[in-house]
Amino acid sequence: MPRTLLIAGNWKMNKTATEAVELIKAIVPAIGKQTDINVVVAPPFTALQSVGENLVNSTVNLGAQNVSEKPHGAYTGEVSTAMLRDLHVTHVIIGHSERRSYYGETDAIVNKKTLAALENTLKPIVCVGETLAERESAKTFEVIGQQITVGLANIPANQFANVIVAYEPVWAIGTGKTATPAMAQEVHAFIRAQLAKLQGEAAAQKTRILYGGSMKPDNADALLAEADIDGGLIGGAALVAKDFIALVESGKKASARK
Ligand code: PGA
């Protein structure tokens, strides 16, 4: 069984609820009925409700950009898995490099959030990736090995099918610098081998591994053609309706060839 490709848009801290509706209304008519691949949009928390209302009767899924590891209670400013589920959120981005570097999220926190998401049937999109300094000092595999081993520890085997990994080299995020398809493929294959160590080869073969970091309509075809690249996590280009639509079209083309 080939893996179903996934194209996910990470809107980051962009778009008010009102602006988000404008963007989703420009996207859904073009790709809201396709079933060849999976599509997720992850607006800010404040726009989940309004975007979600515009996804009813479409095949586009709703994602969040973060979630609390705690179920409920006195945690000012946090949002729980149950709150997301109630808004029909199906996916949640966890451990994005911006959360790691600006908000101190460690691999241990990423693990807790991942387990909390899975327990409440949210599909976690767990982000890993090396900084430029780590790549230049030949630490890429060591860093990513650690992020995977700790971040994805203790996941019950029957929940692992819901895990999605995103490889996002930090030096490629929002910089216009993309990993070459060969560079990305090398890390994706390494990640799959780490997943096999944790959960066995069959589970690893079923897990989607997305690429993220300046993925755009003009470089997506080459990246998505690689054997272990199962989709994209897209920032900047996900805020431009025609670019996001083009990326979904690239995903459909790549899926037909895989
Ligand atoms: P970018 O962001 O596409 O703007 O590089 C990707 C991401 O951070 O998920």
Short mmCIF file of all heavy atoms in Angstrom, two decimals, residues 148-219:
data_model
loop_
_atom_site.label_atom_id
_atom_site.label_comp_id
_atom_site.label_asym_id
_atom_site.label_seq_id
_atom_site.Cartn_x
_atom_site.Cartn_y
_atom_site.Cartn_z
N ILE A 148 13.74 12.22 17.34
CA ILE A 148 12.79 11.14 17.05
C ILE A 148 12.69 10.18 18.24
O ILE A 148 11.60 9.82 18.68
CB ILE A 148 13.24 10.36 15.77
CG1 ILE A 148 13.14 11.25 14.53
CG2 ILE A 148 12.47 9.06 15.61
CD1 ILE A 148 11.76 11.44 13.99
N THR A 149 13.84 9.78 18.76
CA THR A 149 13.83 8.75 19.80
C THR A 149 13.12 9.25 21.06
O THR A 149 12.32 8.53 21.66
CB THR A 149 15.28 8.36 20.17
OG1 THR A 149 15.99 8.19 18.97
CG2 THR A 149 15.34 7.08 20.95
N VAL A 150 13.40 10.50 21.45
CA VAL A 150 12.77 11.03 22.66
C VAL A 150 11.35 11.53 22.35
O VAL A 150 10.40 11.24 23.07
CB VAL A 150 13.63 12.17 23.28
CG1 VAL A 150 12.96 12.72 24.54
CG2 VAL A 150 15.04 11.66 23.59
N GLY A 151 11.21 12.27 21.26
CA GLY A 151 9.91 12.87 20.93
C GLY A 151 8.83 11.84 20.66
O GLY A 151 7.66 12.08 20.93
N LEU A 152 9.22 10.70 20.12
CA LEU A 152 8.22 9.67 19.76
C LEU A 152 8.32 8.43 20.65
O LEU A 152 7.91 7.34 20.26
CB LEU A 152 8.37 9.29 18.29
CG LEU A 152 8.17 10.42 17.26
CD1 LEU A 152 8.26 9.88 15.84
CD2 LEU A 152 6.83 11.13 17.46
N ALA A 153 8.86 8.62 21.85
CA ALA A 153 8.98 7.47 22.78
C ALA A 153 7.62 7.05 23.32
O ALA A 153 6.70 7.88 23.42
CB ALA A 153 9.89 7.86 23.94
N ASN A 154 7.52 5.78 23.67
CA ASN A 154 6.36 5.25 24.43
C ASN A 154 5.02 5.40 23.74
O ASN A 154 3.98 5.48 24.40
CB ASN A 154 6.27 5.92 25.82
CG ASN A 154 7.53 5.73 26.61
OD1 ASN A 154 8.13 4.66 26.57
ND2 ASN A 154 7.98 6.77 27.28
N ILE A 155 5.00 5.45 22.43
CA ILE A 155 3.72 5.54 21.73
C ILE A 155 3.14 4.12 21.61
O ILE A 155 3.81 3.22 21.11
CB ILE A 155 3.88 6.18 20.34
CG1 ILE A 155 4.35 7.63 20.51
CG2 ILE A 155 2.57 6.11 19.54
CD1 ILE A 155 4.61 8.36 19.23
N PRO A 156 1.91 3.91 22.09
CA PRO A 156 1.32 2.58 21.94
C PRO A 156 1.28 2.16 20.47
O PRO A 156 0.96 2.98 19.60
CB PRO A 156 -0.10 2.77 22.50
CG PRO A 156 -0.03 4.00 23.34
CD PRO A 156 1.03 4.87 22.75
N ALA A 157 1.62 0.91 20.21
CA ALA A 157 1.73 0.44 18.82
C ALA A 157 0.43 0.68 18.04
O ALA A 157 0.46 1.04 16.87
CB ALA A 157 2.09 -1.05 18.80
N ASN A 158 -0.70 0.55 18.72
CA ASN A 158 -1.97 0.70 17.99
C ASN A 158 -2.33 2.17 17.70
O ASN A 158 -3.30 2.44 17.03
CB ASN A 158 -3.12 0.01 18.74
CG ASN A 158 -3.41 0.65 20.10
OD1 ASN A 158 -2.67 1.53 20.54
ND2 ASN A 158 -4.46 0.20 20.74
N GLN A 159 -1.52 3.10 18.22
CA GLN A 159 -1.77 4.52 17.91
C GLN A 159 -0.76 5.07 16.90
O GLN A 159 -0.92 6.19 16.42
CB GLN A 159 -1.69 5.36 19.20
CG GLN A 159 -2.82 5.07 20.16
CD GLN A 159 -2.73 5.91 21.44
OE1 GLN A 159 -1.81 6.70 21.62
NE2 GLN A 159 -3.69 5.72 22.32
N PHE A 160 0.27 4.27 16.60
CA PHE A 160 1.37 4.83 15.81
C PHE A 160 0.97 5.19 14.38
O PHE A 160 1.55 6.09 13.77
CB PHE A 160 2.57 3.87 15.81
CG PHE A 160 3.83 4.57 15.41
CD1 PHE A 160 4.46 5.43 16.31
CD2 PHE A 160 4.35 4.43 14.15
CE1 PHE A 160 5.61 6.12 15.95
CE2 PHE A 160 5.50 5.11 13.78
CZ PHE A 160 6.13 5.95 14.68
N ALA A 161 -0.05 4.52 13.86
CA ALA A 161 -0.49 4.81 12.49
C ALA A 161 -0.97 6.25 12.33
O ALA A 161 -1.04 6.77 11.22
CB ALA A 161 -1.60 3.84 12.09
N ASN A 162 -1.29 6.90 13.45
CA ASN A 162 -1.76 8.29 13.37
C ASN A 162 -0.64 9.32 13.44
O ASN A 162 -0.89 10.52 13.33
CB ASN A 162 -2.77 8.57 14.49
CG ASN A 162 -4.11 7.92 14.17
OD1 ASN A 162 -4.49 7.81 13.02
ND2 ASN A 162 -4.81 7.46 15.21
N VAL A 163 0.59 8.85 13.63
CA VAL A 163 1.72 9.78 13.74
C VAL A 163 2.20 10.20 12.36
O VAL A 163 2.34 9.38 11.45
CB VAL A 163 2.89 9.13 14.52
CG1 VAL A 163 4.13 10.02 14.51
CG2 VAL A 163 2.47 8.82 15.95
N ILE A 164 2.45 11.50 12.20
CA ILE A 164 3.04 12.05 10.98
C ILE A 164 4.31 12.79 11.43
O ILE A 164 4.28 13.48 12.46
CB ILE A 164 2.05 13.02 10.29
CG1 ILE A 164 0.78 12.27 9.87
CG2 ILE A 164 2.70 13.71 9.09
CD1 ILE A 164 -0.45 13.14 9.75
N VAL A 165 5.38 12.64 10.69
CA VAL A 165 6.62 13.34 11.02
C VAL A 165 6.86 14.40 9.95
O VAL A 165 6.53 14.19 8.78
CB VAL A 165 7.82 12.35 11.07
CG1 VAL A 165 9.13 13.08 11.37
CG2 VAL A 165 7.57 11.26 12.12
N ALA A 166 7.39 15.55 10.35
CA ALA A 166 7.79 16.56 9.36
C ALA A 166 9.27 16.87 9.55
O ALA A 166 9.68 17.24 10.66
CB ALA A 166 6.96 17.82 9.51
N TYR A 167 10.05 16.68 8.49
CA TYR A 167 11.46 17.07 8.53
C TYR A 167 11.57 18.50 8.02
O TYR A 167 11.26 18.77 6.86
CB TYR A 167 12.32 16.14 7.67
CG TYR A 167 13.72 16.70 7.46
CD1 TYR A 167 14.51 17.07 8.56
CD2 TYR A 167 14.25 16.88 6.19
CE1 TYR A 167 15.77 17.61 8.38
CE2 TYR A 167 15.52 17.41 6.00
CZ TYR A 167 16.28 17.77 7.10
OH TYR A 167 17.52 18.32 6.93
N GLU A 168 11.97 19.40 8.92
CA GLU A 168 12.11 20.80 8.54
C GLU A 168 13.49 21.30 8.95
O GLU A 168 13.69 21.68 10.12
CB GLU A 168 11.03 21.64 9.24
CG GLU A 168 9.63 21.22 8.89
CD GLU A 168 8.64 22.38 9.05
OE1 GLU A 168 8.57 22.97 10.13
OE2 GLU A 168 7.97 22.69 8.06
N PRO A 169 14.44 21.30 8.01
CA PRO A 169 15.75 21.86 8.36
C PRO A 169 15.56 23.33 8.74
O PRO A 169 14.96 24.09 7.99
CB PRO A 169 16.57 21.71 7.07
CG PRO A 169 15.62 21.31 5.99
CD PRO A 169 14.34 20.87 6.62
N VAL A 170 16.02 23.69 9.94
CA VAL A 170 15.72 25.02 10.48
C VAL A 170 16.24 26.11 9.54
O VAL A 170 15.61 27.15 9.36
CB VAL A 170 16.31 25.16 11.91
CG1 VAL A 170 16.06 26.55 12.48
CG2 VAL A 170 15.69 24.11 12.83
N TRP A 171 17.37 25.84 8.91
CA TRP A 171 18.00 26.83 8.02
C TRP A 171 17.20 27.03 6.73
O TRP A 171 17.47 27.97 5.97
CB TRP A 171 19.43 26.41 7.69
CG TRP A 171 19.56 24.97 7.27
CD1 TRP A 171 19.77 23.90 8.10
CD2 TRP A 171 19.44 24.44 5.95
NE1 TRP A 171 19.79 22.75 7.38
CE2 TRP A 171 19.59 23.05 6.06
CE3 TRP A 171 19.22 25.00 4.69
CZ2 TRP A 171 19.53 22.20 4.95
CZ3 TRP A 171 19.16 24.17 3.59
CH2 TRP A 171 19.31 22.78 3.74
N ALA A 172 16.20 26.20 6.49
CA ALA A 172 15.41 26.32 5.26
C ALA A 172 14.05 26.96 5.52
O ALA A 172 13.31 27.24 4.58
CB ALA A 172 15.22 24.95 4.63
N ILE A 173 13.71 27.20 6.80
CA ILE A 173 12.36 27.69 7.11
C ILE A 173 12.28 29.19 6.90
O ILE A 173 12.99 29.96 7.56
CB ILE A 173 11.96 27.32 8.55
CG1 ILE A 173 11.86 25.80 8.70
CG2 ILE A 173 10.63 27.97 8.93
CD1 ILE A 173 11.56 25.32 10.08
N GLY A 174 11.45 29.60 5.97
CA GLY A 174 11.21 31.02 5.73
C GLY A 174 12.40 31.76 5.15
O GLY A 174 12.42 32.98 5.11
N THR A 175 13.39 31.03 4.70
CA THR A 175 14.63 31.67 4.24
C THR A 175 14.75 31.67 2.72
O THR A 175 15.64 32.31 2.17
CB THR A 175 15.86 30.91 4.78
OG1 THR A 175 15.76 29.54 4.34
CG2 THR A 175 15.92 30.94 6.30
N GLY A 176 13.89 30.89 2.05
CA GLY A 176 14.03 30.75 0.62
C GLY A 176 15.07 29.70 0.24
O GLY A 176 15.21 29.33 -0.92
N LYS A 177 15.81 29.19 1.24
CA LYS A 177 16.79 28.12 0.98
C LYS A 177 16.10 26.78 1.18
O LYS A 177 15.56 26.53 2.26
CB LYS A 177 17.95 28.18 1.97
CG LYS A 177 18.87 29.33 1.77
CD LYS A 177 20.03 29.22 2.75
CE LYS A 177 20.73 30.56 2.87
NZ LYS A 177 21.35 30.77 4.15
N THR A 178 16.10 25.94 0.17
CA THR A 178 15.46 24.63 0.33
C THR A 178 16.57 23.58 0.36
O THR A 178 17.57 23.73 -0.32
CB THR A 178 14.61 24.28 -0.91
OG1 THR A 178 14.07 25.48 -1.43
CG2 THR A 178 13.51 23.32 -0.58
N ALA A 179 16.33 22.52 1.10
CA ALA A 179 17.23 21.37 0.98
C ALA A 179 17.07 20.85 -0.45
O ALA A 179 15.97 20.88 -1.00
CB ALA A 179 16.84 20.30 1.98
N THR A 180 18.14 20.39 -1.06
CA THR A 180 17.97 19.76 -2.37
C THR A 180 17.17 18.48 -2.17
O THR A 180 17.17 17.91 -1.07
CB THR A 180 19.32 19.41 -3.00
OG1 THR A 180 19.94 18.42 -2.16
CG2 THR A 180 20.23 20.63 -3.15
N PRO A 181 16.51 18.02 -3.22
CA PRO A 181 15.75 16.76 -3.06
C PRO A 181 16.63 15.64 -2.52
O PRO A 181 16.19 14.87 -1.65
CB PRO A 181 15.27 16.47 -4.49
CG PRO A 181 15.12 17.85 -5.10
CD PRO A 181 16.27 18.65 -4.54
N ALA A 182 17.87 15.56 -2.95
CA ALA A 182 18.74 14.47 -2.49
C ALA A 182 19.08 14.62 -1.00
O ALA A 182 19.11 13.65 -0.26
CB ALA A 182 20.02 14.43 -3.32
N MET A 183 19.35 15.87 -0.59
CA MET A 183 19.64 16.12 0.85
C MET A 183 18.43 15.74 1.69
O MET A 183 18.56 15.12 2.76
CB MET A 183 19.91 17.61 1.08
CG MET A 183 21.31 18.07 0.87
SD MET A 183 21.27 19.88 0.66
CE MET A 183 21.51 20.39 2.32
N ALA A 184 17.25 16.16 1.25
CA ALA A 184 16.04 15.86 2.02
C ALA A 184 15.80 14.35 2.06
O ALA A 184 15.54 13.78 3.12
CB ALA A 184 14.84 16.60 1.41
N GLN A 185 15.93 13.70 0.92
CA GLN A 185 15.69 12.25 0.85
C GLN A 185 16.61 11.50 1.82
O GLN A 185 16.19 10.56 2.49
CB GLN A 185 15.89 11.75 -0.59
CG GLN A 185 15.98 10.24 -0.77
CD GLN A 185 14.78 9.44 -0.24
OE1 GLN A 185 13.65 9.95 -0.21
NE2 GLN A 185 15.02 8.21 0.19
N GLU A 186 17.86 11.95 1.89
CA GLU A 186 18.82 11.27 2.77
C GLU A 186 18.32 11.32 4.23
O GLU A 186 18.36 10.30 4.94
CB GLU A 186 20.18 11.98 2.66
CG GLU A 186 21.28 11.31 3.46
CD GLU A 186 22.57 12.12 3.47
OE1 GLU A 186 22.52 13.37 3.36
OE2 GLU A 186 23.63 11.48 3.59
N VAL A 187 17.83 12.48 4.65
CA VAL A 187 17.36 12.60 6.04
C VAL A 187 16.04 11.84 6.22
O VAL A 187 15.83 11.19 7.23
CB VAL A 187 17.23 14.08 6.46
CG1 VAL A 187 16.70 14.18 7.88
CG2 VAL A 187 18.57 14.80 6.33
N HIS A 188 15.16 11.92 5.22
CA HIS A 188 13.89 11.18 5.34
C HIS A 188 14.14 9.68 5.50
O HIS A 188 13.48 9.02 6.29
CB HIS A 188 13.01 11.45 4.12
CG HIS A 188 12.29 12.76 4.18
ND1 HIS A 188 10.92 12.89 4.02
CD2 HIS A 188 12.76 14.02 4.39
CE1 HIS A 188 10.59 14.17 4.15
NE2 HIS A 188 11.68 14.88 4.35
N ALA A 189 15.09 9.16 4.73
CA ALA A 189 15.39 7.73 4.84
C ALA A 189 15.94 7.41 6.22
O ALA A 189 15.61 6.38 6.83
CB ALA A 189 16.39 7.32 3.75
N PHE A 190 16.77 8.33 6.74
CA PHE A 190 17.31 8.14 8.10
C PHE A 190 16.18 8.14 9.13
O PHE A 190 16.14 7.30 10.03
CB PHE A 190 18.32 9.27 8.41
CG PHE A 190 18.78 9.28 9.83
CD1 PHE A 190 19.74 8.38 10.28
CD2 PHE A 190 18.23 10.18 10.75
CE1 PHE A 190 20.15 8.38 11.62
CE2 PHE A 190 18.63 10.19 12.08
CZ PHE A 190 19.59 9.28 12.51
N ILE A 191 15.24 9.10 8.97
CA ILE A 191 14.11 9.17 9.91
C ILE A 191 13.31 7.87 9.86
O ILE A 191 12.93 7.29 10.88
CB ILE A 191 13.20 10.38 9.60
CG1 ILE A 191 13.94 11.68 9.93
CG2 ILE A 191 11.87 10.29 10.36
CD1 ILE A 191 13.24 12.95 9.45
N ARG A 192 13.09 7.36 8.65
CA ARG A 192 12.31 6.11 8.54
C ARG A 192 13.03 4.95 9.24
O ARG A 192 12.41 4.11 9.89
CB ARG A 192 12.01 5.78 7.06
CG ARG A 192 10.77 4.86 6.94
CD ARG A 192 10.34 4.61 5.50
NE ARG A 192 9.97 5.78 4.74
CZ ARG A 192 8.86 6.50 4.93
NH1 ARG A 192 7.98 6.16 5.86
NH2 ARG A 192 8.61 7.56 4.17
N ALA A 193 14.34 4.94 9.14
CA ALA A 193 15.11 3.89 9.82
C ALA A 193 14.98 4.03 11.34
O ALA A 193 14.90 3.02 12.06
CB ALA A 193 16.58 3.95 9.40
N GLN A 194 14.95 5.28 11.83
CA GLN A 194 14.76 5.49 13.28
C GLN A 194 13.37 5.04 13.72
O GLN A 194 13.20 4.44 14.78
CB GLN A 194 14.93 6.98 13.65
CG GLN A 194 16.27 7.57 13.32
CD GLN A 194 17.39 6.85 14.03
OE1 GLN A 194 17.43 6.77 15.25
NE2 GLN A 194 18.30 6.29 13.26
N LEU A 195 12.37 5.32 12.87
CA LEU A 195 11.00 4.89 13.19
C LEU A 195 10.93 3.37 13.25
O LEU A 195 10.24 2.80 14.09
CB LEU A 195 10.01 5.43 12.15
CG LEU A 195 9.90 6.95 12.03
CD1 LEU A 195 8.91 7.32 10.92
CD2 LEU A 195 9.45 7.58 13.35
N ALA A 196 11.67 2.73 12.34
CA ALA A 196 11.67 1.26 12.33
C ALA A 196 12.27 0.71 13.62
O ALA A 196 11.80 -0.30 14.17
CB ALA A 196 12.45 0.74 11.11
N LYS A 197 13.31 1.40 14.14
CA LYS A 197 13.90 0.96 15.41
C LYS A 197 12.89 1.07 16.55
O LYS A 197 12.87 0.26 17.46
CB LYS A 197 15.11 1.84 15.76
CG LYS A 197 16.36 1.46 15.03
CD LYS A 197 17.53 2.14 15.72
CE LYS A 197 18.72 2.21 14.77
NZ LYS A 197 19.71 3.20 15.21
N LEU A 198 12.05 2.10 16.50
CA LEU A 198 11.08 2.32 17.58
C LEU A 198 9.86 1.40 17.47
O LEU A 198 9.35 0.92 18.47
CB LEU A 198 10.55 3.76 17.54
CG LEU A 198 11.44 4.89 18.05
CD1 LEU A 198 10.74 6.22 17.81
CD2 LEU A 198 11.74 4.72 19.53
N GLN A 199 9.37 1.22 16.24
CA GLN A 199 8.05 0.59 16.08
C GLN A 199 8.04 -0.57 15.08
O GLN A 199 6.97 -1.09 14.77
CB GLN A 199 7.03 1.64 15.62
CG GLN A 199 6.76 2.74 16.64
CD GLN A 199 5.74 2.37 17.70
OE1 GLN A 199 4.94 1.46 17.51
NE2 GLN A 199 5.76 3.05 18.82
N GLY A 200 9.22 -0.91 14.54
CA GLY A 200 9.28 -1.99 13.56
C GLY A 200 9.16 -1.49 12.13
O GLY A 200 8.63 -0.41 11.89
N GLU A 201 9.66 -2.29 11.21
CA GLU A 201 9.75 -1.88 9.81
C GLU A 201 8.37 -1.63 9.18
O GLU A 201 8.18 -0.66 8.44
CB GLU A 201 10.52 -2.98 9.03
CG GLU A 201 10.82 -2.67 7.58
CD GLU A 201 11.67 -1.42 7.37
OE1 GLU A 201 12.49 -1.08 8.25
OE2 GLU A 201 11.50 -0.78 6.32
N ALA A 202 7.40 -2.49 9.49
CA ALA A 202 6.09 -2.34 8.84
C ALA A 202 5.45 -1.01 9.23
O ALA A 202 4.93 -0.28 8.37
CB ALA A 202 5.18 -3.50 9.23
N ALA A 203 5.53 -0.65 10.51
CA ALA A 203 4.96 0.63 10.97
C ALA A 203 5.71 1.79 10.33
O ALA A 203 5.10 2.78 9.90
CB ALA A 203 5.02 0.72 12.49
N ALA A 204 7.02 1.68 10.25
CA ALA A 204 7.83 2.77 9.67
C ALA A 204 7.47 2.98 8.20
O ALA A 204 7.40 4.12 7.72
CB ALA A 204 9.31 2.44 9.80
N GLN A 205 7.21 1.89 7.50
CA GLN A 205 6.87 1.99 6.07
C GLN A 205 5.52 2.68 5.86
O GLN A 205 5.26 3.22 4.80
CB GLN A 205 6.85 0.61 5.41
CG GLN A 205 8.24 0.03 5.16
CD GLN A 205 9.09 0.91 4.25
OE1 GLN A 205 8.60 1.62 3.37
NE2 GLN A 205 10.41 0.87 4.47
N LYS A 206 4.68 2.61 6.88
CA LYS A 206 3.34 3.22 6.74
C LYS A 206 3.30 4.69 7.16
O LYS A 206 2.33 5.39 6.92
CB LYS A 206 2.33 2.45 7.61
CG LYS A 206 1.97 1.10 7.05
CD LYS A 206 0.81 0.51 7.83
CE LYS A 206 0.70 -0.97 7.55
NZ LYS A 206 0.53 -1.78 8.77
N THR A 207 4.36 5.17 7.83
CA THR A 207 4.33 6.52 8.41
C THR A 207 4.66 7.58 7.36
O THR A 207 5.64 7.46 6.64
CB THR A 207 5.36 6.61 9.57
OG1 THR A 207 5.10 5.54 10.47
CG2 THR A 207 5.26 7.94 10.29
N ARG A 208 3.82 8.63 7.33
CA ARG A 208 4.12 9.74 6.41
C ARG A 208 5.22 10.62 6.99
O ARG A 208 5.16 11.00 8.16
CB ARG A 208 2.88 10.61 6.15
CG ARG A 208 2.05 10.22 4.95
CD ARG A 208 0.98 9.24 5.28
NE ARG A 208 0.06 9.67 6.30
CZ ARG A 208 -1.05 10.40 6.06
NH1 ARG A 208 -1.35 10.79 4.85
NH2 ARG A 208 -1.88 10.70 7.04
N ILE A 209 6.20 10.97 6.16
CA ILE A 209 7.26 11.90 6.54
C ILE A 209 7.20 13.07 5.55
O ILE A 209 7.45 12.89 4.35
CB ILE A 209 8.65 11.24 6.53
CG1 ILE A 209 8.65 9.96 7.39
CG2 ILE A 209 9.71 12.23 7.03
CD1 ILE A 209 9.96 9.16 7.34
N LEU A 210 6.81 14.24 6.06
CA LEU A 210 6.67 15.43 5.22
C LEU A 210 7.98 16.20 5.18
O LEU A 210 8.74 16.17 6.14
CB LEU A 210 5.58 16.36 5.78
CG LEU A 210 4.26 15.72 6.24
CD1 LEU A 210 3.31 16.80 6.74
CD2 LEU A 210 3.64 14.90 5.11
N TYR A 211 8.19 16.95 4.10
CA TYR A 211 9.30 17.89 4.06
C TYR A 211 8.75 19.30 4.28
O TYR A 211 7.69 19.65 3.74
CB TYR A 211 10.05 17.85 2.71
CG TYR A 211 11.04 18.98 2.63
CD1 TYR A 211 12.28 18.89 3.27
CD2 TYR A 211 10.70 20.18 2.01
CE1 TYR A 211 13.15 19.96 3.29
CE2 TYR A 211 11.57 21.26 2.03
CZ TYR A 211 12.80 21.14 2.67
OH TYR A 211 13.65 22.22 2.70
N GLY A 212 9.47 20.12 5.03
CA GLY A 212 9.08 21.53 5.19
C GLY A 212 10.30 22.42 5.19
O GLY A 212 11.38 22.02 5.65
N GLY A 213 10.14 23.62 4.69
CA GLY A 213 11.25 24.57 4.61
C GLY A 213 11.32 25.14 3.21
O GLY A 213 11.90 24.52 2.32
N SER A 214 10.63 26.30 3.01
CA SER A 214 10.62 26.98 1.71
C SER A 214 10.15 26.07 0.57
O SER A 214 10.66 26.16 -0.54
CB SER A 214 11.99 27.58 1.40
OG SER A 214 12.33 28.55 2.38
N MET A 215 9.19 25.20 0.86
CA MET A 215 8.59 24.44 -0.24
C MET A 215 7.65 25.38 -1.00
O MET A 215 6.84 26.08 -0.39
CB MET A 215 7.83 23.20 0.24
CG MET A 215 7.49 22.25 -0.91
SD MET A 215 6.41 20.89 -0.40
CE MET A 215 7.56 19.54 -0.36
N LYS A 216 7.81 25.41 -2.32
CA LYS A 216 7.06 26.33 -3.18
C LYS A 216 6.62 25.57 -4.43
O LYS A 216 7.16 24.50 -4.72
CB LYS A 216 7.98 27.48 -3.64
CG LYS A 216 8.67 28.26 -2.54
CD LYS A 216 7.86 29.47 -2.14
CE LYS A 216 8.56 30.36 -1.14
NZ LYS A 216 8.58 30.05 0.22
N PRO A 217 5.67 26.16 -5.19
CA PRO A 217 5.24 25.46 -6.41
C PRO A 217 6.41 25.11 -7.34
O PRO A 217 6.38 24.08 -8.00
CB PRO A 217 4.29 26.46 -7.07
CG PRO A 217 3.72 27.23 -5.92
CD PRO A 217 4.84 27.35 -4.92
N ASP A 218 7.47 25.92 -7.37
CA ASP A 218 8.55 25.63 -8.34
C ASP A 218 9.57 24.60 -7.85
O ASP A 218 10.41 24.15 -8.62
CB ASP A 218 9.24 26.92 -8.81
CG ASP A 218 9.96 27.62 -7.68
OD1 ASP A 218 9.90 27.13 -6.52
OD2 ASP A 218 10.60 28.67 -7.94
N ASN A 219 9.54 24.20 -6.59
CA ASN A 219 10.47 23.14 -6.17
C ASN A 219 9.75 21.89 -5.66
O ASN A 219 10.38 20.89 -5.34
CB ASN A 219 11.48 23.66 -5.13
CG ASN A 219 10.80 24.19 -3.86
OD1 ASN A 219 9.70 23.78 -3.50
ND2 ASN A 219 11.46 25.12 -3.19
#
